[in-house]
Amino acid sequence: MFYGTWWSLVPPLVAIILALVTKEVYISLFCGVFLGALFVGNFHIWKAFTVLLNTMVKSIDLKIIIFDVLLGMIVVLMGKSGGTSAYGRWATKKIKNKRQAEVTTSLLGVLIFVDDYFNCLTVGSVMRPVTDKFKVSRAKLAYIIDATAAPVCILAPISSWAAAVNSYVPKGGAINGFQLFVSTIPFNLYAILTLFMVFYTSARGFDFGLMAKHERNAENGDLFTSYADEFKDEMEEEKKNVNRKGKVRDLILPMIVMIGSAIGAMIYTGFLSGSKTVAAAFANCDVETALVFSMLITIVFIAFLYLPRKLVSFSEMMQALPEGAKMMIPAILILTFAWTLKGVTDRLGIGAFFSNSLNLTSTGVAFIPVIIFFIAIFISFSTGTSWGTFSILVPIAISIFNNTNIEMMIITVSAILAGAVCGDHVSPISDTTIMSSAGAQCHHMNHVATQLQYAIPVILSCGIGYVIAGFSRNWWLTLLISLCLLIAVLAFIKRYSGNNGEKITPFERKIEEGNL
């Protein structure tokens, strides 16, 4: 009786509200999942239990879990070899101040565009020693990682995200999936403006709201602000096991192999599916299989690179697998609950609810992009998945405009992709948000709270931008006005806030000046 009704929204909303109130992600997600299972089972306890268990089993993406464990193993091996610390020592010689550290972290995030999970964990482990030295808070590091993960992937035609979007475009339409994806890039306002926001705040040394508080604490030696004990053992273990024999190439070469083999495997799986061109291969590739394959290739390469030089012993290499798995357990746990929540909401017909509720054709055509942008934010935020949002809304948008108005179809699909990434970006139950917290070794709710405030100016600029896009249908005019609006909002925040964007009371100012 709950199927396809507004009740399908209740479980994810309960999980999100509990996570924000209690700051305990595991129990919040479990409550949302169990409530959804009760709805599916019509409040019969045994039925609810079987629904929960079966949905969890069916929803778990084992390939992603294998990928996470293998990636954790690679991160551990890079640390044991001394490659990560060697890069940190090299970077600290080249990087002279905090702003350069933040900009360099942002650039590394942009360069790793193949997959957001890989991006989150790699950038975090590589740049953490550098950002720690220059007193960048863990919350700011987590924000930089998260803001250069999904936004970069959704703009890169060669990425797991591009492949996911391609898979949601019905065949036989006026435009194929790959062409549609490429056409959406200049209209993907949230991704572009978020990347601008990252580099702007990093280069200008400008922070505001809760982030400014975290940054001020970091300047005084407190990188975490709260929940530092959560990562105490891990940090001590890293310091204890620093290997001075490692070189920068021991980090760089495995990363090159990882990215190269991932791209090669994606193309190969695409050709196996019957594709005739490279573009078609990317559109039809098996991303998850390709990523697992690239992890295995990288581990074999690492063995030949490290073992002969005795950077790690054979027993240490074998031990890296359980260590890597242990490191990834918190992220895997949250991912499992998040996947199960998505599975339960699917069984409750959340997609059918939105499909039946959206009478988009009755609205002025020019306003469809901005309306669907905010709907995509809501769905993605509530479910914690941008890919699931793509699967719900992209077919709807294509069915409205296919063979009638290709230009508006491109703009509307762009708004869906932007809104889905936005909702995923700020949702506490999103996998990329979780992985960014793990990569930065930042308490998850600290990351969520600080990142949300940074996303709001971008969301407002995008909302106005999609109204302009609906009327002008001109990407450069839309992007230019949206960018100018974002700069104006940031200038307003900076002007009417205290030091570094944080509101300072007269009492606090007297303390800082030493007059009290």
PDB file of all heavy atoms in Angstrom, residues 323-346:
ATOM      1  N   GLU A 323      45.170  -5.623   5.994  1.00  0.00           N
ATOM      2  CA  GLU A 323      45.286  -4.248   6.495  1.00  0.00           C
ATOM      3  C   GLU A 323      44.467  -3.286   5.638  1.00  0.00           C
ATOM      4  O   GLU A 323      43.791  -2.391   6.152  1.00  0.00           O
ATOM      5  CB  GLU A 323      46.752  -3.806   6.521  1.00  0.00           C
ATOM      6  CG  GLU A 323      47.567  -4.407   7.646  1.00  0.00           C
ATOM      7  CD  GLU A 323      48.999  -3.903   7.646  1.00  0.00           C
ATOM      8  OE1 GLU A 323      49.242  -2.792   7.146  1.00  0.00           O
ATOM      9  OE2 GLU A 323      49.879  -4.630   8.145  1.00  0.00           O
ATOM     10  N   GLY A 324      44.564  -3.468   4.321  1.00  0.00           N
ATOM     11  CA  GLY A 324      43.782  -2.630   3.409  1.00  0.00           C
ATOM     12  C   GLY A 324      42.294  -2.841   3.599  1.00  0.00           C
ATOM     13  O   GLY A 324      41.513  -1.883   3.586  1.00  0.00           O
ATOM     14  N   ALA A 325      41.893  -4.123   3.791  1.00  0.00           N
ATOM     15  CA  ALA A 325      40.480  -4.426   4.021  1.00  0.00           C
ATOM     16  C   ALA A 325      39.995  -3.789   5.320  1.00  0.00           C
ATOM     17  O   ALA A 325      38.898  -3.215   5.384  1.00  0.00           O
ATOM     18  CB  ALA A 325      40.281  -5.935   4.062  1.00  0.00           C
ATOM     19  N   LYS A 326      40.840  -3.862   6.355  1.00  0.00           N
ATOM     20  CA  LYS A 326      40.492  -3.275   7.657  1.00  0.00           C
ATOM     21  C   LYS A 326      40.302  -1.766   7.536  1.00  0.00           C
ATOM     22  O   LYS A 326      39.380  -1.185   8.115  1.00  0.00           O
ATOM     23  CB  LYS A 326      41.591  -3.591   8.675  1.00  0.00           C
ATOM     24  CG  LYS A 326      41.311  -3.069  10.073  1.00  0.00           C
ATOM     25  CD  LYS A 326      42.470  -3.404  11.003  1.00  0.00           C
ATOM     26  CE  LYS A 326      42.238  -2.781  12.378  1.00  0.00           C
ATOM     27  NZ  LYS A 326      43.390  -3.039  13.290  1.00  0.00           N
ATOM     28  N   MET A 327      41.174  -1.132   6.768  1.00  0.00           N
ATOM     29  CA  MET A 327      41.099   0.313   6.572  1.00  0.00           C
ATOM     30  C   MET A 327      39.792   0.710   5.891  1.00  0.00           C
ATOM     31  O   MET A 327      39.244   1.783   6.140  1.00  0.00           O
ATOM     32  CB  MET A 327      42.288   0.778   5.729  1.00  0.00           C
ATOM     33  CG  MET A 327      42.373   2.272   5.500  1.00  0.00           C
ATOM     34  SD  MET A 327      43.853   2.738   4.570  1.00  0.00           S
ATOM     35  CE  MET A 327      43.377   2.206   2.923  1.00  0.00           C
ATOM     36  N   MET A 328      39.286  -0.183   5.035  1.00  0.00           N
ATOM     37  CA  MET A 328      38.090   0.136   4.252  1.00  0.00           C
ATOM     38  C   MET A 328      36.786  -0.305   4.910  1.00  0.00           C
ATOM     39  O   MET A 328      35.714  -0.023   4.394  1.00  0.00           O
ATOM     40  CB  MET A 328      38.193  -0.530   2.869  1.00  0.00           C
ATOM     41  CG  MET A 328      39.360  -0.071   2.025  1.00  0.00           C
ATOM     42  SD  MET A 328      39.383   1.704   1.765  1.00  0.00           S
ATOM     43  CE  MET A 328      37.872   1.922   0.855  1.00  0.00           C
ATOM     44  N   ILE A 329      36.865  -0.977   6.049  1.00  0.00           N
ATOM     45  CA  ILE A 329      35.652  -1.498   6.689  1.00  0.00           C
ATOM     46  C   ILE A 329      34.615  -0.418   6.985  1.00  0.00           C
ATOM     47  O   ILE A 329      33.427  -0.590   6.678  1.00  0.00           O
ATOM     48  CB  ILE A 329      35.997  -2.311   7.960  1.00  0.00           C
ATOM     49  CG1 ILE A 329      36.508  -3.704   7.559  1.00  0.00           C
ATOM     50  CG2 ILE A 329      34.784  -2.466   8.880  1.00  0.00           C
ATOM     51  CD1 ILE A 329      37.015  -4.542   8.712  1.00  0.00           C
ATOM     52  N   PRO A 330      34.995   0.727   7.596  1.00  0.00           N
ATOM     53  CA  PRO A 330      33.969   1.757   7.854  1.00  0.00           C
ATOM     54  C   PRO A 330      33.255   2.204   6.581  1.00  0.00           C
ATOM     55  O   PRO A 330      32.019   2.315   6.558  1.00  0.00           O
ATOM     56  CB  PRO A 330      34.780   2.909   8.474  1.00  0.00           C
ATOM     57  CG  PRO A 330      35.984   2.260   9.060  1.00  0.00           C
ATOM     58  CD  PRO A 330      36.308   1.134   8.129  1.00  0.00           C
ATOM     59  N   ALA A 331      34.020   2.443   5.516  1.00  0.00           N
ATOM     60  CA  ALA A 331      33.411   2.881   4.254  1.00  0.00           C
ATOM     61  C   ALA A 331      32.526   1.782   3.667  1.00  0.00           C
ATOM     62  O   ALA A 331      31.419   2.059   3.173  1.00  0.00           O
ATOM     63  CB  ALA A 331      34.500   3.271   3.256  1.00  0.00           C
ATOM     64  N   ILE A 332      32.990   0.527   3.721  1.00  0.00           N
ATOM     65  CA  ILE A 332      32.215  -0.580   3.163  1.00  0.00           C
ATOM     66  C   ILE A 332      30.909  -0.774   3.940  1.00  0.00           C
ATOM     67  O   ILE A 332      29.850  -1.041   3.354  1.00  0.00           O
ATOM     68  CB  ILE A 332      33.052  -1.879   3.162  1.00  0.00           C
ATOM     69  CG1 ILE A 332      34.171  -1.783   2.121  1.00  0.00           C
ATOM     70  CG2 ILE A 332      32.176  -3.098   2.881  1.00  0.00           C
ATOM     71  CD1 ILE A 332      35.169  -2.925   2.170  1.00  0.00           C
ATOM     72  N   LEU A 333      30.981  -0.611   5.268  1.00  0.00           N
ATOM     73  CA  LEU A 333      29.778  -0.745   6.097  1.00  0.00           C
ATOM     74  C   LEU A 333      28.727   0.285   5.702  1.00  0.00           C
ATOM     75  O   LEU A 333      27.551  -0.037   5.506  1.00  0.00           O
ATOM     76  CB  LEU A 333      30.143  -0.546   7.575  1.00  0.00           C
ATOM     77  CG  LEU A 333      30.202  -1.790   8.466  1.00  0.00           C
ATOM     78  CD1 LEU A 333      30.591  -1.383   9.879  1.00  0.00           C
ATOM     79  CD2 LEU A 333      28.863  -2.499   8.481  1.00  0.00           C
ATOM     80  N   ILE A 334      29.164   1.540   5.587  1.00  0.00           N
ATOM     81  CA  ILE A 334      28.221   2.608   5.240  1.00  0.00           C
ATOM     82  C   ILE A 334      27.697   2.405   3.815  1.00  0.00           C
ATOM     83  O   ILE A 334      26.515   2.618   3.537  1.00  0.00           O
ATOM     84  CB  ILE A 334      28.873   3.998   5.403  1.00  0.00           C
ATOM     85  CG1 ILE A 334      29.322   4.197   6.855  1.00  0.00           C
ATOM     86  CG2 ILE A 334      27.899   5.100   5.021  1.00  0.00           C
ATOM     87  CD1 ILE A 334      30.057   5.491   7.109  1.00  0.00           C
ATOM     88  N   LEU A 335      28.593   1.989   2.910  1.00  0.00           N
ATOM     89  CA  LEU A 335      28.168   1.718   1.534  1.00  0.00           C
ATOM     90  C   LEU A 335      27.098   0.620   1.502  1.00  0.00           C
ATOM     91  O   LEU A 335      26.102   0.731   0.776  1.00  0.00           O
ATOM     92  CB  LEU A 335      29.361   1.278   0.688  1.00  0.00           C
ATOM     93  CG  LEU A 335      30.305   2.373   0.185  1.00  0.00           C
ATOM     94  CD1 LEU A 335      31.501   1.735  -0.506  1.00  0.00           C
ATOM     95  CD2 LEU A 335      29.597   3.317  -0.758  1.00  0.00           C
ATOM     96  N   THR A 336      27.294  -0.407   2.304  1.00  0.00           N
ATOM     97  CA  THR A 336      26.334  -1.519   2.340  1.00  0.00           C
ATOM     98  C   THR A 336      24.959  -1.037   2.787  1.00  0.00           C
ATOM     99  O   THR A 336      23.936  -1.368   2.181  1.00  0.00           O
ATOM    100  CB  THR A 336      26.848  -2.628   3.278  1.00  0.00           C
ATOM    101  OG1 THR A 336      28.111  -3.107   2.804  1.00  0.00           O
ATOM    102  CG2 THR A 336      25.866  -3.787   3.341  1.00  0.00           C
ATOM    103  N   PHE A 337      24.934  -0.229   3.860  1.00  0.00           N
ATOM    104  CA  PHE A 337      23.661   0.313   4.331  1.00  0.00           C
ATOM    105  C   PHE A 337      23.043   1.248   3.289  1.00  0.00           C
ATOM    106  O   PHE A 337      21.831   1.250   3.081  1.00  0.00           O
ATOM    107  CB  PHE A 337      23.859   1.060   5.651  1.00  0.00           C
ATOM    108  CG  PHE A 337      23.940   0.173   6.855  1.00  0.00           C
ATOM    109  CD1 PHE A 337      24.975   0.285   7.762  1.00  0.00           C
ATOM    110  CD2 PHE A 337      22.965  -0.786   7.092  1.00  0.00           C
ATOM    111  CE1 PHE A 337      25.051  -0.532   8.874  1.00  0.00           C
ATOM    112  CE2 PHE A 337      23.028  -1.616   8.205  1.00  0.00           C
ATOM    113  CZ  PHE A 337      24.073  -1.493   9.104  1.00  0.00           C
ATOM    114  N   ALA A 338      23.890   2.079   2.652  1.00  0.00           N
ATOM    115  CA  ALA A 338      23.389   3.022   1.649  1.00  0.00           C
ATOM    116  C   ALA A 338      22.802   2.273   0.442  1.00  0.00           C
ATOM    117  O   ALA A 338      21.752   2.646  -0.076  1.00  0.00           O
ATOM    118  CB  ALA A 338      24.506   3.961   1.202  1.00  0.00           C
ATOM    119  N   TRP A 339      23.503   1.211  -0.011  1.00  0.00           N
ATOM    120  CA  TRP A 339      22.986   0.396  -1.114  1.00  0.00           C
ATOM    121  C   TRP A 339      21.655  -0.244  -0.740  1.00  0.00           C
ATOM    122  O   TRP A 339      20.727  -0.314  -1.536  1.00  0.00           O
ATOM    123  CB  TRP A 339      23.989  -0.683  -1.485  1.00  0.00           C
ATOM    124  CG  TRP A 339      25.176  -0.205  -2.249  1.00  0.00           C
ATOM    125  CD1 TRP A 339      25.237   0.856  -3.105  1.00  0.00           C
ATOM    126  CD2 TRP A 339      26.490  -0.770  -2.217  1.00  0.00           C
ATOM    127  NE1 TRP A 339      26.507   0.978  -3.604  1.00  0.00           N
ATOM    128  CE2 TRP A 339      27.292   0.006  -3.087  1.00  0.00           C
ATOM    129  CE3 TRP A 339      27.067  -1.842  -1.545  1.00  0.00           C
ATOM    130  CZ2 TRP A 339      28.644  -0.285  -3.299  1.00  0.00           C
ATOM    131  CZ3 TRP A 339      28.419  -2.133  -1.754  1.00  0.00           C
ATOM    132  CH2 TRP A 339      29.195  -1.343  -2.629  1.00  0.00           C
ATOM    133  N   THR A 340      21.576  -0.751   0.517  1.00  0.00           N
ATOM    134  CA  THR A 340      20.349  -1.408   0.972  1.00  0.00           C
ATOM    135  C   THR A 340      19.204  -0.404   1.034  1.00  0.00           C
ATOM    136  O   THR A 340      18.064  -0.726   0.670  1.00  0.00           O
ATOM    137  CB  THR A 340      20.560  -2.047   2.355  1.00  0.00           C
ATOM    138  OG1 THR A 340      21.723  -2.885   2.326  1.00  0.00           O
ATOM    139  CG2 THR A 340      19.369  -2.892   2.763  1.00  0.00           C
ATOM    140  N   LEU A 341      19.502   0.811   1.485  1.00  0.00           N
ATOM    141  CA  LEU A 341      18.479   1.850   1.529  1.00  0.00           C
ATOM    142  C   LEU A 341      17.963   2.153   0.127  1.00  0.00           C
ATOM    143  O   LEU A 341      16.760   2.310  -0.095  1.00  0.00           O
ATOM    144  CB  LEU A 341      19.047   3.116   2.176  1.00  0.00           C
ATOM    145  CG  LEU A 341      18.077   4.287   2.360  1.00  0.00           C
ATOM    146  CD1 LEU A 341      16.916   3.885   3.271  1.00  0.00           C
ATOM    147  CD2 LEU A 341      18.797   5.499   2.937  1.00  0.00           C
ATOM    148  N   LYS A 342      18.884   2.211  -0.830  1.00  0.00           N
ATOM    149  CA  LYS A 342      18.482   2.421  -2.231  1.00  0.00           C
ATOM    150  C   LYS A 342      17.596   1.260  -2.706  1.00  0.00           C
ATOM    151  O   LYS A 342      16.578   1.471  -3.382  1.00  0.00           O
ATOM    152  CB  LYS A 342      19.728   2.531  -3.104  1.00  0.00           C
ATOM    153  CG  LYS A 342      19.492   2.500  -4.616  1.00  0.00           C
ATOM    154  CD  LYS A 342      18.694   3.694  -5.105  1.00  0.00           C
ATOM    155  CE  LYS A 342      18.658   3.799  -6.617  1.00  0.00           C
ATOM    156  NZ  LYS A 342      18.142   2.635  -7.325  1.00  0.00           N
ATOM    157  N   GLY A 343      17.983   0.021  -2.356  1.00  0.00           N
ATOM    158  CA  GLY A 343      17.194  -1.147  -2.756  1.00  0.00           C
ATOM    159  C   GLY A 343      15.800  -1.132  -2.163  1.00  0.00           C
ATOM    160  O   GLY A 343      14.813  -1.450  -2.839  1.00  0.00           O
ATOM    161  N   VAL A 344      15.702  -0.731  -0.883  1.00  0.00           N
ATOM    162  CA  VAL A 344      14.400  -0.681  -0.215  1.00  0.00           C
ATOM    163  C   VAL A 344      13.511   0.397  -0.842  1.00  0.00           C
ATOM    164  O   VAL A 344      12.318   0.181  -1.069  1.00  0.00           O
ATOM    165  CB  VAL A 344      14.586  -0.427   1.302  1.00  0.00           C
ATOM    166  CG1 VAL A 344      13.253  -0.094   1.959  1.00  0.00           C
ATOM    167  CG2 VAL A 344      15.192  -1.651   1.975  1.00  0.00           C
ATOM    168  N   THR A 345      14.086   1.573  -1.119  1.00  0.00           N
ATOM    169  CA  THR A 345      13.294   2.651  -1.734  1.00  0.00           C
ATOM    170  C   THR A 345      12.864   2.280  -3.151  1.00  0.00           C
ATOM    171  O   THR A 345      11.801   2.695  -3.602  1.00  0.00           O
ATOM    172  CB  THR A 345      14.068   3.986  -1.743  1.00  0.00           C
ATOM    173  OG1 THR A 345      15.348   3.800  -2.372  1.00  0.00           O
ATOM    174  CG2 THR A 345      14.268   4.506  -0.337  1.00  0.00           C
ATOM    175  N   ASP A 346      13.688   1.490  -3.840  1.00  0.00           N
ATOM    176  CA  ASP A 346      13.276   0.987  -5.162  1.00  0.00           C
ATOM    177  C   ASP A 346      12.046   0.078  -5.022  1.00  0.00           C
ATOM    178  O   ASP A 346      11.110   0.150  -5.825  1.00  0.00           O
ATOM    179  CB  ASP A 346      14.415   0.215  -5.826  1.00  0.00           C
ATOM    180  CG  ASP A 346      15.459   1.125  -6.440  1.00  0.00           C
ATOM    181  OD1 ASP A 346      15.175   2.338  -6.590  1.00  0.00           O
ATOM    182  OD2 ASP A 346      16.567   0.649  -6.749  1.00  0.00           O
TER     183      ASP A 346
END
